[in-house]
Amino acid sequence: MSTTSGIQVLPAGAGYGIVIGIGGFFAALMLGITYLQNRYTAYSTGQAEEFSTASRSVKPGLIAAGIVSSWTWSATLLTSSTFAYSYGICGPMWYGAMGTFQILLFALIAIKIKGNAPGAHTFPEIVMARHGRVAHATYLFNGLATNMLVGACLVLGGSQVVSALSGMNVYAACFLIPLVVAAYVIAGGLRSTFIADYTHTVILFIAIFVFGFTVYSTSEVIGSPSKFYDLLVEASEKMPIAKNYEGSYLTFKSVNGLVFAIDLLVAGFSTVWLDQAYWQRAIASRPESSIRAYLLGGIAWYGIPFGFATAMGLGCAALTNTKSFPTHPNPLSEAQNGAGLSSPATAIALLGKGGAVLMLLLLFMAVTSSTSAELIAVSSLLTFDIYKTYLRPSATSRELVKISHYGIVLYAVVLAVFCCILNVVNVNLTWLLTVLGVIVGGASVPVGLVLLWGRMSTIATIASPWIGLSFGLIAWFVTTSKRSGSITVLSSGDATNAVAGNIASWAGGAIVATVLTLIFPKKLSVDHPEYVARNNRINGVTPFPQKKSEGSPNAESLQGEVSHAFVEKGQGAPRSAPEPEAAVPTGNDVVDSLEAKQIEPMDPILVKRGERIAIIANAIFLAVAILLVPFTLFGTHYIYSKQFFTGWIVVSFIWVWTSMIICVIYPVVESAGSLKDIGAGMWRDLRSLIGMKGREKKQAAERDV
């Protein structure tokens, strides 16, 4: 059975209309928002600091909405539902818990950036400031590889579903989606992606609520948690799940579900800790609110896979034996399930063609909002870590913005070609998500240790990602060969085969980084004056008077926890112009200040306080959401009763409402002042325009007399 059999209910024009039409609408919207921002606020997208970091001034609500939007991939909606359909009630909670844990852990990174590297634009810049060019190249490679794989998860997954639902050419979708998104990212920079993320998130929640209310209250087929439960009991009898206790959809005792959770944990470390998009949001946030933004973002994001997949993934199992199901009387094929078609099938069964259109719109919002973050993240890596670091250190701010635009277009085209290649070799979304940690997991923990562990040595920083990658590939291929008999796309994507590579890569990188640091504790220390100036700027260290030595005890004391780790002597350190933009004032006081002056580190007392809050939040979440609740349910072999299942449904839906309040209502409340300023500015312009026209009419009347 092909992936489109029974699923294609829309004409190809619907797919093209959504991708091109709505994409064009958002491009026009971003142009309008960018105009309003440049005219009525203190921030100009014509400057590199604003384009790439949103002038480091975005408030926590909008940051939280951006985190939720950028972490709500097509995989969040499709794969979480796939695992609910494949493993039962445990799938949505495992997906939500493992993803949220990464966001909460990243709160520690966010606060450390504000305390130790406030002048950084990218995470490889931070690595270079501490461990030199070789380390910089290592993490730049891993960052770009992560962005490419994440982008493929977004674009390929979305394109395959759009093609399955509408018959749109999958290769056309692979090109059109990133290029359409590139148009509005170029128009507005990072702040526009936050605003686009907010707009997408509003539409996202509207669609989720439509599906949720349909499943739980208005559907003629389901319509209530009680009927939902009865249908799942029936599904457990007719299509029992292998390695689930008694084959039930209503038990947490799922061996394959636990294996999937481990895969997702490692993939989550890679896709958050090595994704420049998340670092970019931490850099863009206000220093005093970065912790709050990530904690709110984590809490809000949890509700989306938990609530959506509980309704739509389990809904797919419940509806499989009903006449409205698109593949009735057959269940979804393995290929259809692997392509993430469980939730689209549920949408069609519930709402017919209208459900398919709403699902396409929902997926397009998820894909484009996440892709916009990836586009500007890669452009930042290309601009600051390649162009400004090695090619033109004295580049002005306007030159950097131009290079960022070129980088966005380049990444969009390369990503489209990469997705087309993956589709040719029959790689799907589930395969990508399952094996992603094998490929880049080895660098995920070491990059965090660079900021979080002051003892991290240079040798450990450089070697651990490559050794972790080697461990992961060996374990993955050997396990696949022994368990499956041969290494193919299908066998290598098996969750159990992939978990061996994921664990070996992730744990190998972490253990090797720790061991090498203890054996070879030395860090690079270079007194190249231009490089010292550059790294002082990244680390937020006030430049010293020229009469003082850069390596003096006084200098070291001012560094605090931030080490002087620079490129090795004799490596040919790249030239650096510490303050190139200062020579060309922009006329914008805020941007000039950020680009020309030293950005001071966050108050150490506030950093320590933020660290404590982040550690406590992570400890509570780990204890409750990852250990206590799941493993209690797993270990007791409990099969949900109807009352317990109803309570579970209510909690999942309440969490979706909480997420909506955080992502939709809170950003408007906290930005009321800015919205008022823009409104006042527009009103003044309108009055001036009306007054000007009135004067022109009066003068014309006087001339006639």
Side-chain angles (χ1 to χ4, degrees), residues 37 42-45 47-58 114 190-191 283-287 588 590-592 594-595 599:
Q37 173 188 325
Y43 306 108
S44 168
T45 57
Q47 300 303 312
E49 194 74 27
E50 168 65 17
F51 187 87
S52 298
T53 70
S55 299
R56 311 170 196 265
S57 64
V58 182
K114 297 303 180 184
L190 183 61
R191 192 180 299 270
I283 291 166
S285 64
R286 288 185 171 185
N588 184 312
V590 175
V591 175
D592 285 343
L594 284 167
E595 294 192 344
I599 299 175

Tab-separated table of all heavy atoms in Angstrom, residues 37 42-45 47-58 114 190-191 283-287 588 590-592 594-595 599:
chain	number	residue	atom	x	y	z
A	37	GLN	N	8.273	48.274	12.894
A	37	GLN	CA	9.359	48.224	13.878
A	37	GLN	C	10.409	49.290	13.590
A	37	GLN	O	10.839	50.024	14.484
A	37	GLN	CB	10.013	46.839	13.853
A	37	GLN	CG	11.274	46.744	14.725
A	37	GLN	CD	11.992	45.431	14.525
A	37	GLN	OE1	11.365	44.403	14.307
A	37	GLN	NE2	13.308	45.460	14.595
A	42	ALA	N	12.754	51.548	18.616
A	42	ALA	CA	14.174	51.904	18.656
A	42	ALA	C	15.067	50.869	17.996
A	42	ALA	O	16.277	50.931	18.135
A	42	ALA	CB	14.619	52.087	20.115
A	43	TYR	N	14.473	49.900	17.290
A	43	TYR	CA	15.267	48.816	16.727
A	43	TYR	C	15.195	48.817	15.208
A	43	TYR	O	14.117	48.883	14.634
A	43	TYR	CB	14.786	47.466	17.274
A	43	TYR	CG	14.767	47.435	18.772
A	43	TYR	CD1	13.562	47.458	19.468
A	43	TYR	CD2	15.953	47.413	19.493
A	43	TYR	CE1	13.548	47.443	20.852
A	43	TYR	CE2	15.947	47.403	20.873
A	43	TYR	CZ	14.744	47.418	21.545
A	43	TYR	OH	14.732	47.412	22.912
A	44	SER	N	16.361	48.705	14.563
A	44	SER	CA	16.421	48.726	13.104
A	44	SER	C	16.977	47.412	12.588
A	44	SER	O	18.056	46.986	12.990
A	44	SER	CB	17.329	49.872	12.630
A	44	SER	OG	17.615	49.739	11.259
A	45	THR	N	16.254	46.755	11.678
A	45	THR	CA	16.723	45.486	11.118
A	45	THR	C	17.866	45.675	10.139
A	45	THR	O	18.391	44.703	9.607
A	45	THR	CB	15.572	44.757	10.404
A	45	THR	OG1	15.033	45.619	9.400
A	45	THR	CG2	14.477	44.383	11.384
A	47	GLN	N	20.729	46.618	10.987
A	47	GLN	CA	21.959	46.426	11.732
A	47	GLN	C	22.113	44.963	12.124
A	47	GLN	O	21.138	44.284	12.444
A	47	GLN	CB	21.968	47.317	12.980
A	47	GLN	CG	21.856	48.806	12.655
A	47	GLN	CD	22.965	49.266	11.728
A	47	GLN	OE1	24.124	48.970	11.969
A	47	GLN	NE2	22.609	49.964	10.672
A	48	ALA	N	23.345	44.478	12.114
A	48	ALA	CA	23.602	43.060	12.357
A	48	ALA	C	23.149	42.636	13.743
A	48	ALA	O	22.637	41.536	13.940
A	48	ALA	CB	25.096	42.761	12.182
A	49	GLU	N	23.355	43.505	14.737
A	49	GLU	CA	22.997	43.139	16.109
A	49	GLU	C	21.496	42.912	16.236
A	49	GLU	O	21.039	41.989	16.891
A	49	GLU	CB	23.447	44.244	17.071
A	49	GLU	CG	23.437	43.847	18.537
A	49	GLU	CD	24.581	42.925	18.884
A	49	GLU	OE1	25.617	42.977	18.213
A	49	GLU	OE2	24.425	42.154	19.832
A	50	GLU	N	20.712	43.757	15.595
A	50	GLU	CA	19.254	43.606	15.635
A	50	GLU	C	18.816	42.441	14.745
A	50	GLU	O	17.967	41.631	15.130
A	50	GLU	CB	18.584	44.903	15.179
A	50	GLU	CG	17.091	44.779	14.905
A	50	GLU	CD	16.278	44.448	16.143
A	50	GLU	OE1	16.776	44.613	17.265
A	50	GLU	OE2	15.137	43.980	15.978
A	51	PHE	N	19.414	42.315	13.546
A	51	PHE	CA	18.998	41.258	12.618
A	51	PHE	C	19.265	39.875	13.200
A	51	PHE	O	18.445	38.972	13.079
A	51	PHE	CB	19.748	41.411	11.288
A	51	PHE	CG	19.270	40.468	10.219
A	51	PHE	CD1	18.213	40.825	9.399
A	51	PHE	CD2	19.866	39.232	10.047
A	51	PHE	CE1	17.761	39.955	8.407
A	51	PHE	CE2	19.417	38.361	9.062
A	51	PHE	CZ	18.367	38.732	8.247
A	52	SER	N	20.423	39.701	13.868
A	52	SER	CA	20.828	38.376	14.321
A	52	SER	C	20.517	38.094	15.777
A	52	SER	O	20.421	36.938	16.168
A	52	SER	CB	22.344	38.183	14.099
A	52	SER	OG	22.652	38.269	12.732
A	53	THR	N	20.386	39.122	16.615
A	53	THR	CA	20.144	38.874	18.039
A	53	THR	C	18.961	39.643	18.578
A	53	THR	O	18.700	39.601	19.777
A	53	THR	CB	21.387	39.256	18.885
A	53	THR	OG1	21.542	40.683	18.888
A	53	THR	CG2	22.640	38.603	18.349
A	54	ALA	N	18.215	40.359	17.731
A	54	ALA	CA	17.063	41.160	18.154
A	54	ALA	C	17.456	42.140	19.253
A	54	ALA	O	16.687	42.439	20.158
A	54	ALA	CB	15.925	40.258	18.616
A	55	SER	N	18.690	42.645	19.156
A	55	SER	CA	19.241	43.613	20.105
A	55	SER	C	19.191	43.114	21.545
A	55	SER	O	19.222	43.889	22.489
A	55	SER	CB	18.513	44.965	19.985
A	55	SER	OG	18.674	45.495	18.698
A	56	ARG	N	19.117	41.814	21.719
A	56	ARG	CA	19.165	41.166	23.040
A	56	ARG	C	18.119	41.734	23.989
A	56	ARG	O	18.380	41.907	25.178
A	56	ARG	CB	20.575	41.306	23.653
A	56	ARG	CG	21.685	40.899	22.686
A	56	ARG	CD	23.067	41.263	23.184
A	56	ARG	NE	24.027	41.200	22.105
A	56	ARG	CZ	24.784	40.146	21.833
A	56	ARG	NH1	24.678	39.068	22.532
A	56	ARG	NH2	25.643	40.180	20.829
A	57	SER	N	16.932	42.047	23.475
A	57	SER	CA	15.952	42.768	24.284
A	57	SER	C	14.564	42.145	24.256
A	57	SER	O	13.609	42.771	24.684
A	57	SER	CB	15.846	44.213	23.771
A	57	SER	OG	15.336	44.225	22.451
A	58	VAL	N	14.433	40.932	23.735
A	58	VAL	CA	13.112	40.336	23.609
A	58	VAL	C	12.617	39.877	24.979
A	58	VAL	O	13.354	39.275	25.761
A	58	VAL	CB	13.140	39.149	22.629
A	58	VAL	CG1	11.742	38.567	22.455
A	58	VAL	CG2	13.683	39.601	21.286
A	114	LYS	N	24.468	34.774	29.591
A	114	LYS	CA	24.334	36.141	30.098
A	114	LYS	C	25.421	36.476	31.106
A	114	LYS	O	25.851	37.627	31.210
A	114	LYS	CB	22.952	36.327	30.738
A	114	LYS	CG	21.791	36.162	29.767
A	114	LYS	CD	21.906	37.128	28.594
A	114	LYS	CE	20.764	36.974	27.624
A	114	LYS	NZ	20.926	37.837	26.429
A	190	LEU	N	15.774	38.345	13.081
A	190	LEU	CA	15.392	37.494	14.200
A	190	LEU	C	14.124	37.968	14.881
A	190	LEU	O	13.264	37.178	15.244
A	190	LEU	CB	16.539	37.418	15.220
A	190	LEU	CG	16.287	36.482	16.413
A	190	LEU	CD1	16.070	35.053	15.944
A	190	LEU	CD2	17.442	36.548	17.400
A	191	ARG	N	13.980	39.299	15.071
A	191	ARG	CA	12.777	39.765	15.760
A	191	ARG	C	11.530	39.421	14.953
A	191	ARG	O	10.490	39.085	15.506
A	191	ARG	CB	12.857	41.278	16.029
A	191	ARG	CG	11.775	41.764	16.986
A	191	ARG	CD	11.903	43.256	17.218
A	191	ARG	NE	13.184	43.607	17.811
A	191	ARG	CZ	13.404	43.663	19.122
A	191	ARG	NH1	12.440	43.375	19.962
A	191	ARG	NH2	14.588	43.997	19.577
A	283	ILE	N	20.485	34.246	23.553
A	283	ILE	CA	21.236	35.484	23.357
A	283	ILE	C	20.287	36.665	23.203
A	283	ILE	O	20.544	37.763	23.708
A	283	ILE	CB	22.150	35.352	22.114
A	283	ILE	CG1	23.282	34.341	22.399
A	283	ILE	CG2	22.730	36.696	21.701
A	283	ILE	CD1	24.028	33.887	21.166
A	284	ALA	N	19.156	36.441	22.522
A	284	ALA	CA	18.223	37.531	22.249
A	284	ALA	C	17.393	37.931	23.456
A	284	ALA	O	16.830	39.019	23.489
A	284	ALA	CB	17.286	37.135	21.108
A	285	SER	N	17.311	37.064	24.469
A	285	SER	CA	16.449	37.354	25.610
A	285	SER	C	17.064	38.421	26.505
A	285	SER	O	18.277	38.642	26.511
A	285	SER	CB	16.206	36.080	26.423
A	285	SER	OG	17.415	35.606	26.972
A	286	ARG	N	16.225	39.080	27.266
A	286	ARG	CA	16.710	40.037	28.254
A	286	ARG	C	17.462	39.291	29.351
A	286	ARG	O	17.008	38.240	29.811
A	286	ARG	CB	15.536	40.800	28.865
A	286	ARG	CG	14.897	41.801	27.914
A	286	ARG	CD	13.827	42.608	28.615
A	286	ARG	NE	13.372	43.705	27.777
A	286	ARG	CZ	12.513	44.631	28.184
A	286	ARG	NH1	12.022	44.579	29.410
A	286	ARG	NH2	12.149	45.599	27.373
A	287	PRO	N	18.598	39.812	29.807
A	287	PRO	CA	19.386	39.097	30.814
A	287	PRO	C	18.581	38.729	32.056
A	287	PRO	O	18.684	37.624	32.570
A	287	PRO	CB	20.515	40.085	31.151
A	287	PRO	CG	20.638	40.937	29.940
A	287	PRO	CD	19.266	41.061	29.373
A	588	ASN	N	20.776	55.197	15.246
A	588	ASN	CA	19.881	54.508	16.175
A	588	ASN	C	20.631	54.316	17.483
A	588	ASN	O	21.568	53.533	17.560
A	588	ASN	CB	19.462	53.155	15.574
A	588	ASN	CG	18.461	52.427	16.441
A	588	ASN	OD1	18.646	52.308	17.643
A	588	ASN	ND2	17.408	51.932	15.816
A	590	VAL	N	20.012	52.910	20.366
A	590	VAL	CA	20.033	51.601	21.001
A	590	VAL	C	20.981	50.657	20.276
A	590	VAL	O	21.833	50.003	20.871
A	590	VAL	CB	18.603	51.011	21.053
A	590	VAL	CG1	18.636	49.592	21.596
A	590	VAL	CG2	17.704	51.887	21.897
A	591	VAL	N	20.842	50.589	18.949
A	591	VAL	CA	21.689	49.687	18.173
A	591	VAL	C	23.148	50.128	18.214
A	591	VAL	O	24.054	49.317	18.372
A	591	VAL	CB	21.181	49.599	16.716
A	591	VAL	CG1	22.118	48.761	15.867
A	591	VAL	CG2	19.775	49.006	16.692
A	592	ASP	N	23.402	51.436	18.089
A	592	ASP	CA	24.779	51.931	18.177
A	592	ASP	C	25.410	51.553	19.504
A	592	ASP	O	26.571	51.154	19.576
A	592	ASP	CB	24.805	53.457	18.012
A	592	ASP	CG	24.592	53.879	16.562
A	592	ASP	OD1	24.758	53.009	15.680
A	592	ASP	OD2	24.261	55.043	16.329
A	594	LEU	N	24.630	49.004	21.472
A	594	LEU	CA	24.893	47.573	21.547
A	594	LEU	C	26.064	47.159	20.673
A	594	LEU	O	26.835	46.278	21.020
A	594	LEU	CB	23.641	46.796	21.121
A	594	LEU	CG	22.512	46.745	22.156
A	594	LEU	CD1	21.247	46.232	21.509
A	594	LEU	CD2	22.896	45.868	23.324
A	595	GLU	N	26.214	47.813	19.523
A	595	GLU	CA	27.249	47.392	18.586
A	595	GLU	C	28.606	48.033	18.871
A	595	GLU	O	29.630	47.497	18.499
A	595	GLU	CB	26.819	47.710	17.157
A	595	GLU	CG	25.614	46.889	16.728
A	595	GLU	CD	25.349	46.976	15.249
A	595	GLU	OE1	25.887	47.886	14.611
A	595	GLU	OE2	24.612	46.138	14.732
A	599	ILE	N	29.455	44.834	25.999
A	599	ILE	CA	28.262	44.322	26.650
A	599	ILE	C	28.686	43.664	27.949
A	599	ILE	O	29.442	42.698	27.955
A	599	ILE	CB	27.530	43.322	25.734
A	599	ILE	CG1	27.099	44.029	24.449
A	599	ILE	CG2	26.334	42.706	26.441
A	599	ILE	CD1	26.479	43.110	23.427
